[in-house]
Amino acid sequence: MKKISLLLFILLFSVPVFLFGEKVSGVIVDQNKEPLPYASIYIKGTTTGTTSNYEGFFMLNLKKGDYTLVFQYVGFKKLIRYISVEDEPVTLNIELEPDKIILNEVIISATAEDPAYAIIRKTIEKKKYYLKQVDNYTCKVYTKGIFRIAEAPDKMFGDSLNTINDSILGIVYLSESESKIHFQQPDKIKEEMISSKVSGNDQGFSINFVSFFLMSFYKNIIHLPIDRSQRGFISPVSSNAFFYYKYRLEGTFQEDKYLINKIKIIPKRKIDPVFSGYIYIVENLWRIHSIDVTINKEAQIDFIDSVKISQSLVPVNDTVWMTFSQKFQFYFSMNFFGKKFGGNGLFHSQHTNYKFNNKFSDDFFKQEIIKIEEDANKKDSLYWELNRPIPLTNEENRNYKKQDSLEIVRNSKEYLDSLDRKNNKFKINNLLFGYSYNNRYDSTRYWYGDPLTSLQFNTVQGFNLRFKFGYFKNLRKKKYFSVAPKIGYGFSDKKWLYTLKSKYYYNPEKFAFLTVEGGKDFIQFNPNDPISPLINSLYTLLDENNFMKIYEKDYINIRQGQELINGIFSFFGLEYSNRKPLVNTTSYTWVSTSREYTSNDPQYPDNPEPSFTENQALIFSATLRLRFKQKYISIPDKVIIGSKFPDLYISYQKGIYGFVGSDVNFDLLKFNIRDRIRMGLLGESRYSATYGFFPNNRKMEFMDYKHFNANKTIYANNNFEAFQLLDYYSYSTNKNFFEVHYEHHFNGFIINKLPLIRRTKWKAVGGVHFLSNNINSDYLEVSVGIKNIFKVARIDFITSFSSNKKLCSGFVFRLALGGNDDGGNVTIEVK
């Protein structure tokens, strides 16, 4: 038995040698013995190699044989070593010398052109050739991603940001991944992540998606994955680069048979979306050798202080050079409610094993652009020890050990219960802002809503209370179930309201859900709720403007939705309701004005009587959303990315007459097209156009009409498809209608040119909103504005027109909470 055990031991530890060869390792330093992080090491004539870690340490597995190793670091002279790999590990201590830059000896007069301009001009002439030189390729990419928090407060809103045995400072995300990249001209990319490791989460999947960080500086515009505006940055060899950059030839150095030009990139205007740093160009070939550039604060990337990009290309054959390593590093800082947060992130990738002239099948590049294999996170530590091309630093090793050990604790019932005991404690502020009780181990949550906003006022109910409660349960395989009851009472009309809404998310792969809702409630005639109850309460009590018009509805509603096939979603609904008219029951106000409250009739404000007779309605609805060639990633669950084509919506609504006593008989058909259009440096446009008509409008009540999102208050529930100066129900129709909404966000293109204002990071926006129906004259709003004021505010100046005549103008202010100006805004109108 001892002999067998010894044999098994020898075989076990011999497997790595037989399969992967001996290890070649060492440290790369400069002349001062300082480590050179992220230096490139590869076998000459190939992209097989590795990269040193932050401490300069490298490790490479090679089979027995003779090799020519190349050691390369931007700004240092390339070193070539010939080695023989036998039965023992090879240790190499590498010291690189700074490039012997041959300084430019040409005396340049004040009017002469720097030689760098001629080099850049020739590179621009060749860039189209190099951009399309390779028709297709595959390669293997190893990526390491790290996020660090360097500065953060100990507490936020009275709660500690640190968890048990763990500080928020330091590494908060550490992950490694291996992917196969497939590329086909002009822009087809498919990524297959074959292995993934996340520190402290053995069930997690890495977000190191190489596809998002692939960048070629031969393109005119470089898009960064961390830039929300997506305007892009101008390449130093862009076709119009001379409009944005100045260049200076720092010198040249010899690398093998190539003469390399080191050129300094100098922005003409720091306010432009440009890079600064160095670009290295191969003489005579006029191709990029490497890039070492920076983007600073002036580029105005939200919350980002600076970005550093280093890219190294190597020859893989006599004619083709490809990216071997790329480092994408960013530094961020933000001030949140007076609390400072800061840190940095790094994505370091190494590209190897290029293969060209692949025979991809016709259906290989489908709409799935990234796929994570289901067993990608199942690789053990031995696998990573043998396949990790970039060695871990001491800090990274400590983080893996610490977080992996803490993961066991974090997932234990004892730990989760201790967190719940701490966080579930009832506090005084819960009386005003709601409360949530969590059971993390059981994946359940109980909550009740914000009592502060439960007290409301309208002229139908007077003061009224609406309490919301809820239950949420996470089920297996990412399914969930929720129940949300609501109870209300009006002190003037003395009526109780009660509703119950339940939702079952039953097929995550198809985004499939089923909701059942019912009860007794007061509903606005426009089901989109153009004015919130809270804002209506303030406007009614303080200005005697009771804009919200409501009716009583006893109902049951069933809705179902899912993705049928990629890009095609269906939504179906069926509702039966009993609808009753309501009238004002109070004239109470806090501030008396010359105005009087209008009635609860949205069509005839002077009518104090009920606006309609009680009726029943059975209404069926169906919507089909079409998104052609929708891109998505599988991680392994499906995540939708979008499409270069617009979204199309086809909606149908049917009032079913006679069945179960239904009094309505109508048909409504709507067609909508919407999209966002990125225009590079010019910004981004967004539009939505809807045409609708009623083939049948025999029996309809006013709540069945088509209503439009309007705004007549200081504070408004605003969204993109809204008219800021339009009366709420003046354009409601049961005939044909057509509306168009368009906005263009310049994303700094205009304001960045203004020397003083540009420091504010404000951004200009303009819009046009048009409405037409067969009843009223055409209506038009034109707006210009500024957004990103203090990160959350936006101001627009709007003018409305009808029948070619100006109606009114006004300033509109809104708070775009969370940086989103599409909804959840506060709007102030001044006429």
Side-chain angles (χ1 to χ4, degrees), residues 140-153:
K140 184 178 180 180
V141 182
Y142 166 85
T143 304
K144 182 189 293 183
I146 307 175
F147 293 164
R148 291 182 177 88
I149 299 294
E151 181 182 11

Side-chain angles (χ1 to χ4, degrees), residues 597-608:
Y597 286 139
T598 59
S599 72
N600 192 47
D601 188 334
Q603 293 178 288
Y604 305 103
D606 296 328
N607 174 32

Side-chain angles (χ1 to χ4, degrees), residues 194-198 201-205 372-384 636:
I194 57 177
S195 59
S196 168
K197 181 175 176 64
V198 181
N201 187 0
D202 63 359
Q203 298 300 313
F205 292 96
I372 298 182
E373 301 294 341
E374 290 189 5
D375 64 343
N377 59 357
K378 301 297 189 293
K379 306 295 192 299
D380 58 18
S381 58
L382 177 61
Y383 174 89
W384 285 103

Side-chain angles (χ1 to χ4, degrees), residues 178 263 287 299 547 573 782:
E178 291 179 305
I263 297 174
R287 72 182 311 150
F547 289 120
V782 179

